[in-house]
Amino acid sequence: MNLKGRFWLAGIALMSAIILSACGGTGDTGSSAGTTVNTLDTLKFDPAAITVASGSTVAVKNSGIQDHNFVVVAAADEARVAEEALAKGGDATGLSGVLAGGPILKAGASENVTISIPAGTYRYICTVAGHYQAGMVGDLTVN
Ligand SMILES: [Cu+2]
């Protein structure tokens, strides 16, 4: 191949890389449509941070074999909500400060949680006993 041909090919490769990176690829957590959060037995949420539009729905799936839940709270309320849920076997449904979510999800169960709260930054926590305390938390941005 002559030198001109090599430059041409290098140019195509560079353009392809730019176009692919502009599209964001896979693993995008910024989408407001089709956001899914998995709860894991490693006591983590996957992903550990999401951004959604107010009024949109998050699909929460328990991908572990333990119970988990997905509870949206203000950061200022998270420790208290986690504490109060312990007295209810981990269920956070109906507790003061719970902005969305709450019910316990059994292994393999899913729920759709509608995020009807004003734009801002929040937390999502798992209030099953020991999980929040082990760091099962995520960051939610509503825009
Ligand atoms: Cu959990």
Side-chain angles (χ1 to χ4, degrees), residues 38-126:
N38 291 287
T39 64
L40 307 179
D41 286 346
T42 51
L43 308 187
K44 301 285 182 208
F45 289 104
D46 177 32
I50 59 172
T51 299
V52 302
S54 184
S56 66
T57 298
V58 175
V60 181
K61 178 165 173 41
N62 183 350
S63 299
I65 59 171
Q66 300 181 42
D67 290 354
H68 293 288
N69 67 355
F70 175 88
V71 185
V72 175
V73 292
D77 292 330
E78 65 179 60
R80 177 187 54 78
V81 168
E83 179 71 26
E84 289 178 11
L86 292 178
K88 298 178 59 187
D91 186 357
T93 308
L95 292 177
S96 168
V98 173
L99 304 173
I104 298 290
L105 292 173
K106 293 291 182 187
S110 299
E111 69 173 335
N112 290 319
V113 178
T114 302
I115 308 295
S116 298
I117 50 180
T121 55
Y122 302 88
R123 300 273 271 174
Y124 48 98
I125 66 175
C126 175

